[in-house]
């Protein structure tokens, strides 16, 4: 019988228990939780050391404590608990790693498959990009793209002139400071072509690095659309300004023309009563010239309105342009060279010769002033037939695609500064000294061209010159334009004229002019009285000459009532300005002649002779 073990002998552990405990404690080598019982602290490392000595045969090793069995139970409990905690921590770590790997897979999938160009920037280096980024920039390989710096994706300068590298570095610094940045920037493709891109920069801290996640979207089309919208808005504002001027013109033109008409008429009659070559006749001739200049100025102001009342018809613009340039040559200094290139075919437009004359004269005069300011230069005038495509007319409200006639006036002057380029068509805007220009020239050009359904385009470079292009719709060939000639000597007129105008001075002037021409004139200042007189005997008059703007009963209404009483009655309608009546409307109502105020005695005589059938 073996002897009983001593009370303080070796710990009685089975081989299986010892192996399990040794394996468990082996995983905790180096220290672990401490077993605490009655204030006695025993480290796991100490237990592990004792157990190893026992396992190796050293039965002298001892574990301090109350009893081996109690210590073993505590040791097992602590070990199992520690193992469970470590296993839970390990499982939690593995789950976190799996979630992180799954998140990274999702991010990489989104990064690669995103329709937006996406790249990652580390300071001044591009460290990653997706396929959409390569497509946007037209880069053939990812390796080639990653060899670039952010500034390499832009042209040398931005549209405002700032170096792109300075702009890019400033934006990157701002994104790193604030955490995000959104902006638009001009970029450059692999082949050198440029495009506008909207960029979103977001700061992404990774480990000890501060990376920038960049998303780019090509907004060139949107930028172009916005620019076209801005131009259309500007054209609309210009049209509204000109419409306001047209309203102003309507308010003053009637009264001004009524005052100007008698000045012209009485001056002509006074000149007829004086001997040719007399000093008084020469003086009156200067009065008449000044009145004609005032008349032309009113016509320029009225050109802003479609109610200007000037008859239009198909004409060959080449003949009018050539004639105007020929007249202009004599007035320009020899330091200005004029070159012309005028097509002779397919240059027909719907206009009045005065329209084309005024447009060419004002554009060339404006160019001549620019050339004189730099000591001379070249003035070119070109006229040609062009075909406008739909994309050519998007920026012009009045133009439609199709055949047009293009008039170009180009000079090598000092150019127009960008700061005032948007105001050059404004009425009364001028950069000239007082007395050198009224500011009406280009405004009149814009008004006339708009009235004819065309558009004016301008290009200018400071220090190089300016180019104006007038585009007018082309029409089919009509009657040839010929230069006006002096009217032939007329025989005294015959006929009875009913004259109606609410301005006494106008009635006196026209009545006297017609009386001197041989007509019998009955003049009234009330349209209602004129209607009553006519109604008593509709056949008493051969022709009626009436003003349009009169109180209670307008000239057109008066004519309509008279025509009801006597169909076919010759009626001449005179108007200084009218928003509601045009030559076309008047003709549709049965008016035989529409006469614009102020008119000369010769024009009045021709209208009356034509109405009564005289030659």
């Amino acid at each position: 019988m073996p002897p009983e073990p001593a009370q303080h002998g070796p710990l009685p552990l089975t081989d299986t228990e010892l192996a399990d405990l040794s394996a468990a404690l082996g995983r905790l080598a180096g220290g672990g939780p401490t077993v605490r019982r009655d204030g006695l602290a025993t480290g796991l490392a100490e237990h592990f050391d004792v157990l190893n000595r026992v396992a190796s045969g050293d039965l002298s090793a001892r574990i301090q404590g109350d009893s081996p069995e109690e210590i073993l139970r505590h040791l097992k409990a602590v070990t199992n608990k520690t193992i469970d905690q470590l296993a839970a921590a390990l499982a939690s770590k593995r789950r976190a790693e799996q979630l992180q790997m799954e998140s990274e897979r999702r991010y990489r999938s989104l990064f690669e498959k995103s329709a937006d160009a996406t790249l990652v920037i580390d300071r001044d280096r591009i460290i990653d990009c997706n396929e959409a980024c390569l497509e946007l920039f037209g880069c053939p390989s990812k390796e080639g793209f990653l060899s670039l710096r952010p500034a390499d994706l832009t042209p040398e300068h931005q549209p405002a002139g700032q170096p792109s590298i300075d702009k890019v570095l400033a934006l990157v610094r701002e994104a790193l400071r604030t955490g995000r940045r959104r902006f638009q920037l001009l970029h450059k493709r692999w082949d050198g072509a440029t495009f506008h891109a909207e960029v979103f920069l977001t700061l992404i801290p990774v480990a000890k690095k501060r990376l920038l996640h960049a998303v780019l979207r090509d907004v060139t089309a949107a930028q172009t659309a916005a620019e076209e919208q801005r131009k259309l808005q500007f054209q609309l504002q210009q049209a509204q300004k000109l419409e306001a001027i047209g309203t102003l013109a309507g308010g003053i033109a009637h009264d001004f023309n009524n005052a100007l008409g008698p000045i012209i008429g009485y001056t002509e009659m006074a000149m007829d009563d004086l001997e040719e070559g007399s000093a008084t006749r020469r003086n009156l001739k200067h009065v008449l010239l000044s009145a004609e200049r005032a008349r032309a100025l009113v016509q320029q102001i009225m050109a802003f309105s479609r109610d200007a009342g000037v008859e239009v018809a198909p004409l060959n613009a080449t003949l009018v342009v050539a004639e105007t340039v020929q007249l202009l040559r004599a007035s320009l200094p020899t330091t200005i060279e004029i070159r012309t290139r005028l097509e002779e075919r397919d240059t027909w437009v719907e206009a009045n010769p005065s329209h084309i004359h005024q447009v060419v004269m004002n554009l060339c005069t404006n160019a001549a002033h620019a050339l004189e300011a730099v000591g001379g230069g070249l003035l070119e005038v070109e006229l040609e037939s062009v075909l406008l495509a739909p994309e050519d007319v998007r920026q012009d409200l009045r133009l439609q695609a199709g055949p047009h006639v293009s008039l170009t006036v180009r000079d090598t002057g000092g150019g127009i500064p960008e700061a005032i380029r948007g105001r050059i068509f404004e009425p009364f805007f001028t950069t000239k000294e007082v007395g050198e220009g009224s500011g009406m020239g280009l405004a009149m050009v814009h008004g006339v061209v708009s009235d004819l359904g065309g558009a004016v385009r301008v290009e200018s470079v400071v220090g190089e010159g300016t180019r104006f292009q007038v585009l007018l719709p082309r029409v089919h060939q009509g009657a040839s334009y010929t230069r006006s000639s002096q009217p032939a000597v007329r025989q005294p007129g015959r006929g009875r004229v009913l004259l109606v105008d609410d301005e006494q001075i106008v009635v006196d002037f026209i009545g006297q002019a017609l009386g001197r021409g041989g007509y019998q004139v009955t003049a009234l200042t009330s349209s209602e009285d004129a209607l009553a007189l006519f109604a008593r005997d509709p056949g008493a008059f051969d022709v009626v000459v009436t003003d349009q703007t009169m109180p209670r009963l307008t000239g057109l209404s008066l004519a309509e009532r008279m025509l009801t009483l006597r169909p076919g009655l010759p009626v001449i309608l005179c108007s200084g300005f009218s928003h509601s009546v045009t030559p076309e409307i008047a003709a549709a109502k049965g008016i035989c002649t529409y006469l614009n105020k102020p008119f000369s005695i010769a024009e009045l005589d021709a209208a009356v002779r034509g109405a009564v059938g005289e030659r």
Side-chain angles (χ1 to χ4, degrees), residues 586-602:
K589 296 291 186 178
I591 305 298
C592 68
T593 304
Y594 187 97
L595 196 58
N596 286 298
K597 292 182 178 181
F599 43 76
S600 66
I601 294 178

Side-chain angles (χ1 to χ4, degrees), residues 522-580:
T522 300
L524 298 173
T525 57
S526 168
S527 54
E528 292 178 326
D529 291 345
L531 180 60
L533 176 63
F534 183 83
R536 287 196 293 269
D537 185 4
F541 301 99
D542 298 307
V543 61
V544 175
V545 179
T546 177
D547 185 34
Q548 162 60 16
T549 306
M550 294 185 293
R552 292 184 292 278
L553 191 63
T554 66
L556 188 59
S557 298
L558 174 63
E560 288 180 309
R561 297 192 184 186
M562 289 181 172
L563 287 168
T564 301
L565 297 172
R566 180 182 160 186
L569 171 70
V571 179
I572 299 174
L573 185 65
C574 306
S575 177
F577 184 84
S578 175
H579 282 290
S580 59

Side-chain angles (χ1 to χ4, degrees), residues 323-332 338 360-361 364-365 368 379 381:
E323 175 185 316
T324 306
V325 173
Q326 183 179 358
L327 293 173
L328 187 69
R329 287 182 187 274
S331 62
L332 297 182
I338 300 181
V360 176
M361 184 62 72
C364 289
T365 300
L379 191 160
V381 180

Side-chain angles (χ1 to χ4, degrees), residues 38-106:
D38 299 329
L40 177 63
T42 304
L44 292 179
E46 180 184 350
H47 290 295
F48 180 70
D49 179 62
V50 171
L51 292 175
N52 277 337
R53 290 167 60 188
V54 171
S56 63
D58 184 2
L59 300 182
S60 65
R62 296 291 186 271
I63 298 177
Q64 297 181 1
D66 293 343
S67 67
E69 291 78 5
E70 186 177 358
I71 291 175
L72 180 59
R73 285 195 301 271
H74 284 292
L75 182 59
K76 284 184 176 182
V78 170
T79 300
N80 290 334
K81 183 177 180 180
T82 303
I83 291 173
D84 291 341
Q85 291 175 344
L86 290 175
L90 180 60
S92 177
K93 180 180 179 182
R94 286 177 177 173
R95 285 195 300 269
E97 290 176 348
Q98 290 176 351
L99 291 174
Q100 182 177 356
M101 291 173 61
E102 181 64 26
S103 176
E104 290 177 353
R105 281 196 297 269
R106 286 197 300 267

Side-chain angles (χ1 to χ4, degrees), residues 282-297:
R282 286 197 300 271
N283 292 338
L284 289 176
K285 185 176 182 180
H286 288 297
V287 173
L288 190 60
L289 289 174
S290 296
E292 289 292 342
R293 289 183 59 188
R295 177 186 180 182
L297 181 59

